[in-house]
Amino acid sequence: TLDEQGKKHLKFRFRGPDIQDKSIFGQRDEYFISFWTDDYKLHLGDRIYSLSPLTENYLYGRGLEASLNIDDNLTVGAYHLGTRWLKPGIYETASYIDYSFNDSYQLGLNYLRKTENAESTDIISFEGQLKPFEDTELELEYALGPGHSKDDNAYLTRLYGRASLLTYYLKLIRAGPDYPGYYTNLDYVSAGVAVPIDKH
């Protein structure tokens, strides 16, 4: 932290050269600097960039990201990156806006432009995080690809809950065969239930 109140944060790493091929313990070179407060965040350099589960959930690259908390409810942000080692490379430009009505209801709008093999595709997604009941959380996302059919779109549902001694979850993902986001041509269902045998 840069102040006695602990509100101004600085994080950086400057590591080189690249020794990935020297041994099994070799590390990649990495360079980044991040600065953030309660009101805004700035990042320049290498790291994992994410937008949303359906658009871009995990991509390592070199880029620039900024976000601004306009007030306690509204946040806007954007990033641009290029991958470092993928051949051919991937370039992404993303922006988002999130609004929290209260602790139980949050909505988000995401935009992603992804360029690969000299071709660009645009994705828009809508997100919602809800708490319809006590001890129940629901996450929803619907993404629209560049086409006009369901094969270009994707949706995701996550449900987590607890009732008495029982905890449970349900996860659904469907991505059309032409959807260009993080998942492609996927139908995924996962569910689980946990019951404690005793307090230990």
Side-chain angles (χ1 to χ4, degrees):
T1 58
L2 302 180
D3 59 336
E4 294 183 359
Q5 293 76 24
K7 294 184 178 181
K8 297 179 180 179
H9 302 264
L10 181 68
K11 181 179 181 180
F12 60 89
R13 177 178 296 139
F14 305 108
R15 182 177 66 208
D18 190 329
I19 55 172
Q20 176 73 23
D21 59 348
K22 298 299 182 183
S23 75
I24 60 174
F25 304 106
Q27 292 181 314
R28 291 287 193 183
D29 62 321
E30 189 173 49
Y31 310 94
F32 71 81
I33 184 168
S34 300
F35 178 79
W36 70 96
T37 70
D38 293 338
D39 299 323
Y40 60 90
K41 299 178 182 178
L42 298 171
H43 174 84
L44 176 63
D46 304 326
R47 78 167 183 188
I48 296 168
Y49 290 80
S50 299
L51 181 60
S52 74
L54 290 181
T55 54
E56 182 53 73
N57 196 32
Y58 178 101
L59 186 63
Y60 186 88
R62 180 168 291 172
L64 170 67
E65 182 171 8
S67 65
L68 175 64
N69 297 326
I70 297 177
D71 55 33
D72 292 338
N73 304 105
L74 184 62
T75 301
V76 297
Y79 71 75
H80 177 78
L81 76 94
T83 56
R84 297 187 56 193
W85 303 297
L86 296 180
K87 301 294 183 181
I90 298 174
Y91 299 89
E92 291 186 349
T93 300
S95 60
Y96 61 89
I97 179 169
D98 296 324
Y99 188 83
S100 299
F101 294 92
N102 49 47
D103 293 337
S104 300
Y105 297 97
Q106 302 175 22
L107 295 178
L109 175 64
N110 307 305
Y111 167 78
L112 176 71
R113 165 160 283 195
K114 185 176 183 179
T115 302
E116 187 175 7
N117 294 320
E119 294 185 2
S120 296
T121 55
D122 297 315
I123 303 172
I124 296 175
S125 84
F126 306 89
E127 282 187 285
Q129 297 183 5
L130 316 173
K131 292 183 179 179
F133 311 105
E134 187 177 1
D135 297 326
T136 302
E137 295 184 6
L138 179 63
E139 298 179 19
L140 303 169
E141 184 176 9
Y142 193 86
L144 303 172
H148 301 285
S149 71
K150 63 180 182 180
D151 289 341
D152 296 283
N153 302 335
Y155 66 81
L156 175 147
T157 301
R158 290 175 177 163
L159 176 66
Y160 305 89
R162 181 176 61 191
S164 185
L165 297 178
L166 181 71
T167 61
Y168 57 89
Y169 78 91
L170 174 65
K171 182 177 180 180
L172 306 172
I173 301 175
R174 188 194 183 279
D178 298 324
Y179 178 67
Y182 188 76
Y183 301 102
T184 299
N185 198 23
L186 175 69
D187 280 296
Y188 175 91
V189 179
S190 176
V193 175
V195 180
I197 297 175
D198 58 33
K199 65 180 181 179
H200 300 295

